[in-house]
């Protein structure tokens, strides 16, 4: 699976009032960590409600680390990690996990590549044994690569080239960033995929797939000491590597509105707008990212949010409208708005209406009622996230890969609850300006109904 955007729906629509101290206490008391001699970090979170466990290996390498000419290589390597080793032939990894009653998959983003297994707790040694094996002994046959690169190219065609909204998102990023690698698609440019070699991917593997560039996260019905012992048994003998130096890749200041028009077969036009915005770097001291997260909730997330209420229900200028912001990323951040105009409206009408809604917040701020609604949603989201061992593991992993500590999750809810109306208005004033804006528009073209949408064979799903 390739994840480019964690787009929409970050906040639950449920309203539950729970003391955030419950979450902080639970996070502190149930998470343990240990670092092996080869640099592999092991983070364990206990959850004894069911006899299951999720084991995840996170490699701190994604499209952010790629170069022109080899875009998409992190995602290609994710696919190749299922091509087998001497001990585990091609196609057997997932079969072994399935036969043990579990499921497995992987995903690549701009910031990382992660692999997981969800199993009955007694099968944790099996998951670790398999992951440790492919961390160091992956096969790179030319035939195997030739087959898999075709799957990836078909995935690109299916998920991006034949998906008009995905094309708009891709072009939006390519325009919003001119220096930072976030401008490149996670799946890669087609020309780079067409010219990629097995040797390129093997070099990427030998460079970045090392214990000192990985974090093992285990959440479930386990004891930390037992997990650390297993990690040492299976991963401890793997040698660390000298990792490349990651140079700063600061995005230059934008100097005016950037506009992109994408022509693609589609029924309706589509609009995306994005503003450069900061992300969390110091969970204790930063406040703007928390205010931006709350602002996204004010604008989007449920029937009562401003964009849906004003643009969809009241003025009916849009059939859908939403906002999104992610405060945890390795690279620079963006604040997104997106929507589809109603049939009798244009993209220009929708963009103007969105600008009016943003200006209202800049001029008049937000209400206490809106703040309380969003904060209740944040808490509800945390409640239900902690019902899933997978969600807990992903939350820890995303924070760690972004350069934050899982320990900082203790303050997340308290920081969001402390956001004031004045702070929300302040970040709107600071970042919602035209010199900071990139706009991408879908200009719908006639659809070829003779060309069926067909999912490529071999595509993996979460």
């Amino acid at each position: 699976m390739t994840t480019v955007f964690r787009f929409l729906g970050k906040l639950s629509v449920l309203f539950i009032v729970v003391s955030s101290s419950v979450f902080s206490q639970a996070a502190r008391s149930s998470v343990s960590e240990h670092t092996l001699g080869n640099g592999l970090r092991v983070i364990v979170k206990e959850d004894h409600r069911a006899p299951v466990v999720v084991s995840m290996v996170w490699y701190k390498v994604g499209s952010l680390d790629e170069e022109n000419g080899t875009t998409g290589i992190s995602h290609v390597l994710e696919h190749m990690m299922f091509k087998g080793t001497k001990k585990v032939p091609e196609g057997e990894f997932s079969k072994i996990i399935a036969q043990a009653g579990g499921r497995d998959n992987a995903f690549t983003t701009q910031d990382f590549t992660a692999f997981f297994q969800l199993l009955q707790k007694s099968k944790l040694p099996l998951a670790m044994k398999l992951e440790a094996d492919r961390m160091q002994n992956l096969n790179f046959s030319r035939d195997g690569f030739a087959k898999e690169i075709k799957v990836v190219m078909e995935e690109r065609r299916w998920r991006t080239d034949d998906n008009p909204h995905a094309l708009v998102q891709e072009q939006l990023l390519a325009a919003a960033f001119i220096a930072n690698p976030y401008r490149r698609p996670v799946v890669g440019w087609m020309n780079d995929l067409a010219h990629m070699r097995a040797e390129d991917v093997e070099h990427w593997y030998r460079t970045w797939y090392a214990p000192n560039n990985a974090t093992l996260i285990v959440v479930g019905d386990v004891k930390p000491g037992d997990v650390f012992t297993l990690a040492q048994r299976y991963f401890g003998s793997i040698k660390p590597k000298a990792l490349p130096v990651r140079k700063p890749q600061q995005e230059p200041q934008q100097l005016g509105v950037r506009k992109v028009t994408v022509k693609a077969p589609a029924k309706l036009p589509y609009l995306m707008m994005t503003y450069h915005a900061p992300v969390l770097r110091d969970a204790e001291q930063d406040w703007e990212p928390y205010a931006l997260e709350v602002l996204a909730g004010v604008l989007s997330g449920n029937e009562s949010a401003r964009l849906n209420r004003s643009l969809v229900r009241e003025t009916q200028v849009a059939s859908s409208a939403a906002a999104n912001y992610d405060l945890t990323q390795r690279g620079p951040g963006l604040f997104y708005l997106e929507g589809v105009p109603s049939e009798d409206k244009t993209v220009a009408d929708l963009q103007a209406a969105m600008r009016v809604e943003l200006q209202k917040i800049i001029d008049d701020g937000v209400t206490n009622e809106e703040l309380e609604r969003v904060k209740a949603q944040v808490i509800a989201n945390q409640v239900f996230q902690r019902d899933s061992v997978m969600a807990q593991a992903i939350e820890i992993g995303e924070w760690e890969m972004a350069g934050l500590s899982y320990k900082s999750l203790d303050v997340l809810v308290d920081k969001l609850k402390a956001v004031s109306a004045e702070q929300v208005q302040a970040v709107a004033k600071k970042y919602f300006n035209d010199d900071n804006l990139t706009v991408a528009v879908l200009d719908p073209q006639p659809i070829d109904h003779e060309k069926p949408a067909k999912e490529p064979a071999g595509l993996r799903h979460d």
Side-chain angles (χ1 to χ4, degrees):
M1 168 189 156
T2 302
T3 302
V4 182
F5 292 99
R6 287 179 282 256
F7 208 83
L8 309 183
K10 286 204 68 177
L11 301 178
S12 169
V13 298
L14 297 172
F15 290 73
I16 298 177
V17 180
V18 181
S19 171
S20 61
S21 63
V22 174
F23 308 121
S24 296
Q25 183 178 0
R28 284 192 294 268
S29 62
S30 62
V31 183
S32 304
E33 70 171 302
H34 174 67
T35 302
L36 304 186
N38 58 13
L40 178 71
R41 292 189 66 214
V42 185
I43 300 174
V44 182
K45 185 171 185 180
E46 299 176 67
D47 187 329
H48 300 290
R49 291 173 294 177
V52 297
V53 63
V54 60
S55 178
M56 302 190 74
V57 175
W58 297 68
Y59 293 95
K60 196 170 186 177
V61 60
S63 62
L64 179 63
D65 304 287
E66 297 170 358
E67 298 178 353
N68 290 336
T70 56
T71 61
I73 197 167
S74 298
H75 177 234
V76 173
L77 179 52
E78 175 211 314
H79 279 245
M80 290 298 295
M81 286 288 279
F82 293 90
K83 302 303 284 186
T85 66
K86 290 182 179 180
K87 294 180 180 179
V88 182
E90 180 179 348
E92 290 299 309
F93 189 107
S94 295
K95 288 182 181 179
I96 293 171
I97 295 297
Q99 289 168 357
R103 65 184 182 92
D104 73 301
N105 215 319
F107 49 97
T108 305
T109 74
Q110 296 161 320
D111 296 339
F112 56 79
T113 309
F115 302 83
F116 73 83
Q117 298 82 43
L118 180 64
L119 311 110
Q120 204 276 343
K121 67 176 184 178
S122 66
K123 302 299 182 180
L124 179 59
L126 173 65
M128 287 199 188
K129 180 180 179 180
L130 291 170
E131 283 291 9
D133 179 38
R134 67 178 177 180
M135 181 182 281
Q136 55 186 328
N137 300 314
L138 195 62
N139 286 335
F140 281 96
S141 71
R142 290 181 180 273
D143 289 343
F145 171 78
K147 293 177 182 178
E148 204 60 36
I149 196 67
K150 290 181 181 178
V151 172
V152 175
M153 292 170 74
E154 281 302 308
E155 180 180 346
R156 184 193 156 84
R157 292 188 187 98
W158 184 59
R159 285 182 166 163
T160 304
D161 296 342
D162 293 338
N163 183 331
H165 286 199
L167 282 174
V168 172
Q169 293 171 358
E170 183 176 83
Q171 291 298 311
L172 179 82
L173 286 178
F177 295 111
I178 61 173
N180 192 274
Y182 272 6
R183 73 188 316 272
R184 307 185 188 114
V186 174
V187 72
W189 298 114
M190 186 64 83
N191 183 68
D192 289 348
L193 297 175
H195 292 88
M196 197 171 291
R197 304 170 302 166
E199 293 85 353
D200 298 327
V201 185
E202 183 173 7
H203 175 72
W204 199 249
Y205 172 75
R206 302 296 178 198
T207 300
W208 293 108
Y209 277 45
N212 51 316
N213 194 45
T215 301
L216 171 64
I217 299 174
V218 177
V219 177
D221 189 15
V222 294
K223 295 181 179 179
D226 295 339
V227 176
F228 298 150
T229 298
L230 288 172
Q232 180 61 44
R233 179 188 306 168
Y234 293 110
F235 292 93
S237 64
I238 304 176
K239 295 181 179 180
K241 298 175 182 177
L243 300 172
V245 176
R246 301 181 198 261
K247 296 181 180 180
Q249 301 187 76
Q250 188 72 32
E251 179 69 16
Q253 182 179 353
Q254 189 168 327
L255 302 176
V257 179
R258 297 172 186 164
K259 298 180 181 180
V260 177
T261 299
V262 177
K263 292 185 176 181
K267 292 182 179 179
L268 297 170
Y270 174 61
L271 169 70
M272 288 196 76
M273 302 166 58
T274 192
Y275 295 88
H276 290 279
V279 293
L280 206 57
R281 295 293 180 232
D282 187 326
E284 298 283 350
Q285 300 299 321
D286 292 347
W287 66 268
E288 287 187 336
Y290 297 115
L292 287 162
E293 182 85 356
V294 171
L295 176 54
V298 169
L299 289 168
S300 181
N302 64 67
E303 294 296 315
S304 301
R306 289 198 180 198
L307 295 182
N308 188 73
R309 184 185 71 241
S310 178
L311 305 189
V312 177
R313 297 206 316 271
E314 294 177 359
T315 64
Q316 298 183 358
V317 71
S319 60
S320 67
N324 185 65
Y325 166 76
D326 192 345
L327 55 75
T328 54
Q329 293 187 174
R330 281 173 58 199
L334 293 172
F335 192 104
Y336 299 94
L337 298 114
E338 60 96 31
V340 175
S342 300
E343 290 191 17
D344 60 339
K345 301 295 182 179
T346 67
V347 166
D349 295 330
L350 177 55
Q351 184 180 165
M354 282 191 169
R355 285 174 174 270
V356 168
E357 291 304 313
L358 298 183
Q359 194 62 46
K360 288 179 182 177
I361 295 177
I362 292 172
D363 294 339
D364 305 322
V366 298
T367 67
N368 289 329
E369 180 182 355
E370 287 176 308
L371 280 184
E372 292 308 310
R373 172 181 61 79
V374 172
K375 291 174 182 179
Q377 289 176 292
V378 170
I379 296 173
N381 186 57
Q382 294 296 315
V383 170
F384 288 96
Q385 183 162 276
R386 282 167 172 78
D387 275 344
S388 163
V389 292
M390 179 65 71
Q392 293 176 68
I394 289 175
E395 182 179 51
I396 292 171
E398 288 181 341
W399 276 59
E400 289 289 331
M401 293 299 105
L404 303 165
S405 170
Y406 69 87
K407 298 176 184 177
S408 298
L409 286 166
D410 292 356
V411 305
L412 173 60
V413 172
D414 286 336
K415 288 289 187 179
L416 289 169
K417 287 183 68 176
V419 171
S420 68
E422 291 75 18
Q423 288 177 322
V424 173
Q425 185 177 19
V427 292
K429 286 182 178 180
K430 184 173 181 179
Y431 296 108
F432 290 164
N433 66 80
D434 281 0
D435 288 346
N436 207 29
L437 172 64
T438 301
V439 179
V441 172
L442 172 64
D443 180 2
Q445 304 297 299
I447 298 175
D448 182 1
H449 294 285
E450 299 298 322
K451 181 181 178 183
K454 183 179 179 182
E455 178 178 325
L459 183 62
R460 300 180 60 82
H461 293 278
D462 278 350

